[in-house]
Amino acid sequence: MAEFNRRKFLIVGGGAAAAGLLSGVVALTLPDMLGAAHDRPLPEGSGILVIVTLNGGNDGINTVIPYTDNAYHDARPELAFKPEEVLPLDGQLGLNPALQGLSEMWKSRSLAIVRGVGYPNPDRSHFRSMDIWQTASPKEPVPTGWIGRWLDATGDDPLRAVNIGGVMPLMSIGERQVASALSGWFPGIPVETMATLSALSDDDPRDTAEMSAIRRTYRASKVTEPEFGRVLKRLDPAAAANDADVDSLQAQLDLVARCVKAAVPTRVYMVQLGGFDTHAAERGTHQELLKKVDTALTPFLRDMSTHAHGKNLVVLMYSEFGRRVAANSAQGTDHGAAGPVFLAGAPVKGGFYGDEPSLTDLNDGDLKSTTDFRDIYHELLSRTLQTDPIPSVGPGRRDLGFL
């Protein structure tokens, strides 16, 4: 028998339509994640982690603003916010005025800000720095991510970690396990197609190893389609293609909220927002991006805090690096190093964690990190996911106390 990959087999065996219907749930998901069928809901009280990646390098200095520091105003006179413009957090730091909702979370003590987060010997390359954050390996490149190693260490349930979108981030890749990938829209699998897949999923003693693997994939569709199919927005693909907001952060978090409320047995969700590489005319663009973050996160977290399955949900929001302290000649900022990390949700003990970096004691124009990002992962793994953090982040890390 000729060797088939899963997509080709779906096209041959189930028709091109079936392949298209399954591509968001099954065809974009690796077989090792889809080995077993589960029909149990997520138990109440289970910790859930939502990871928000801000791609491009968020300007942390204009996000958590040192508005009383003269060095801030001297370094970026056109980009700096005046004291009366910021949303004060304390007598020295304030939030960007676009973050009205996060400001309210701060007041309610459900927002933690870890300052000066980075890693030793920072790299200003988007790709290398993102690899470091997603693999939790600053010293040398490794092929697996910190969530992927958590998957490797904790079982084979195909729904434990889900990336919203078809492009899998490196953090989700393990040696043996990989997170599932789901799009925010797809038409439901017709009953007759599901019946065909069910029949095709039965083992046959004459199967080759390849056919057995494909049958396991079909069986796994019985898990993903009932669990996710009943909560995903069932939009027409043509309509979705014309909808500019279908992949927005708000849409992604709406999908996560639907899944959480439905008790889908997923412990980690991954979403993202791009556009933060603000080398020119930063101020307006950056505020628009932060407004998108705020209008997406605020209602999501408010909704989750009142739901039985969302009360133990924690959001981690990070970017691959911050920006340089001084503005450039194009009234933007260039690639930097350390920056703030946000954690929000009902289990979070709000406040500042980590020391505020100096704006004058710099490393080649960059902020010096005061907190290692792996300590944040350590606490999320141990407290939210209730697992041994060492397989994911290695030994020698510690909790910071934000949970």
Side-chain angles (χ1 to χ4, degrees):
M1 175 182 176
E3 182 178 353
F4 289 101
N5 62 33
R6 289 183 301 128
R7 184 179 293 274
K8 288 180 179 177
F9 186 88
L10 284 170
I11 292 173
V12 173
L21 296 177
L22 291 174
S23 62
V25 176
V26 175
L28 295 182
T29 304
L30 299 181
D32 288 342
M33 283 298 296
L34 302 174
H38 297 272
D39 57 3
R40 57 171 179 77
L42 185 71
E44 286 191 24
S46 299
I48 298 173
L49 174 60
V50 179
I51 303 173
V52 180
T53 301
L54 304 181
N55 285 312
N58 178 45
D59 183 2
I61 297 172
N62 265 15
T63 303
V64 181
I65 301 169
Y67 65 96
T68 63
D69 193 332
N70 289 334
Y72 165 67
H73 298 278
D74 292 342
R76 39 175 75 189
E78 301 296 327
L79 287 183
F81 286 86
K82 299 175 182 178
E84 61 269 23
E85 293 179 299
V86 307
L87 303 170
L89 299 170
D90 62 9
Q92 296 179 314
L93 298 172
L95 286 176
N96 187 290
L99 299 175
Q100 296 279 346
L102 291 186
S103 175
E104 294 303 314
M105 289 184 214
W106 177 267
K107 294 174 184 176
S108 66
R109 307 293 295 176
S110 59
L111 174 67
I113 300 174
V114 187
R115 300 174 295 189
V117 183
Y119 53 87
N121 303 312
D123 194 304
R124 293 188 188 134
S125 161
H126 289 294
F127 306 104
R128 178 64 188 130
S129 189
M130 186 61 80
D131 282 356
I132 289 170
W133 275 85
Q134 296 207 1
T135 63
S137 179
K139 290 185 178 180
E140 58 185 6
V142 297
T144 59
W146 69 286
I147 293 298
R149 295 193 292 274
W150 169 73
L151 290 170
D152 283 344
T154 56
D156 61 359
D157 187 337
L159 300 180
R160 284 172 299 149
V162 171
N163 182 65
I164 308 302
V167 179
M168 300 303 292
L170 180 54
M171 76 173 92
S172 68
I173 309 298
E175 184 177 335
R176 299 179 303 278
Q177 304 288 331
V178 180
S180 300
L182 295 176
S183 296
W185 60 268
F186 70 100
I189 299 176
V191 173
E192 60 272 19
T193 302
M194 233 13 232
T196 300
L197 293 177
S198 180
L200 287 172
S201 70
D202 293 337
D203 282 327
D204 189 305
R206 297 166 294 180
D207 280 348
T208 64
E210 291 81 4
M211 286 298 298
S212 293
I214 291 166
R215 293 189 192 278
R216 288 197 299 272
T217 300
Y218 284 153
R219 285 197 294 274
S221 71
K222 297 178 185 178
V223 183
T224 54
E225 165 64 11
E227 294 288 356
F228 285 101
R230 61 196 173 95
V231 297
L232 293 178
K233 293 178 289 184
R234 299 182 179 278
L235 303 179
D236 178 79
N242 295 323
D243 184 352
D245 293 327
V246 72
D247 293 320
S248 70
L249 180 61
Q250 187 168 349
Q252 294 174 66
L253 289 175
D254 178 65
L255 173 55
V256 173
R258 291 166 183 255
C259 293
V260 171
K261 289 179 177 180
V264 173
T266 296
R267 302 292 302 279
V268 177
Y269 295 92
M270 291 160 281
V271 301
Q272 62 180 318
L273 177 66
F276 286 88
D277 196 15
T278 51
H279 287 281
E282 176 186 307
R283 183 160 165 150
T285 300
H286 189 231
Q287 279 198 270
E288 289 178 8
L289 288 166
L290 292 182
K291 184 66 175 177
K292 290 179 180 180
V293 169
D294 196 70
T295 56
L297 272 181
T298 302
F300 170 75
L301 286 164
R302 187 183 301 120
D303 191 20
M304 291 295 93
S305 69
T306 62
H307 195 275
H309 289 289
K311 290 182 178 179
N312 290 302
L313 180 146
V314 176
V315 169
L316 160 69
M317 185 167 68
Y318 77 100
S319 194
E320 68 263 39
F321 45 61
R323 314 297 288 191
R324 296 173 74 75
V325 173
N328 61 30
S329 59
Q331 295 311 314
T333 52
D334 298 324
H335 301 178
V341 166
F342 291 79
L343 297 124
V348 171
K349 295 192 293 185
F352 286 122
Y353 297 84
D355 296 328
E356 176 67 7
S358 169
L359 294 182
T360 55
D361 180 17
L362 304 176
N363 178 16
D364 191 21
D366 291 338
L367 297 178
K368 294 180 179 179
S369 65
T370 60
T371 305
D372 193 297
F373 74 98
R374 290 168 292 181
D375 290 340
I376 298 173
Y377 293 174
H378 184 278
E379 185 159 353
L380 292 168
L381 288 159
S382 62
R383 302 295 300 278
T384 300
L385 299 182
Q386 298 176 317
T387 191
D388 180 4
I390 291 179
S392 289
V393 298
R397 308 318 318 170
R398 64 184 180 91
D399 286 357
L400 298 177
F402 55 79
L403 294 175

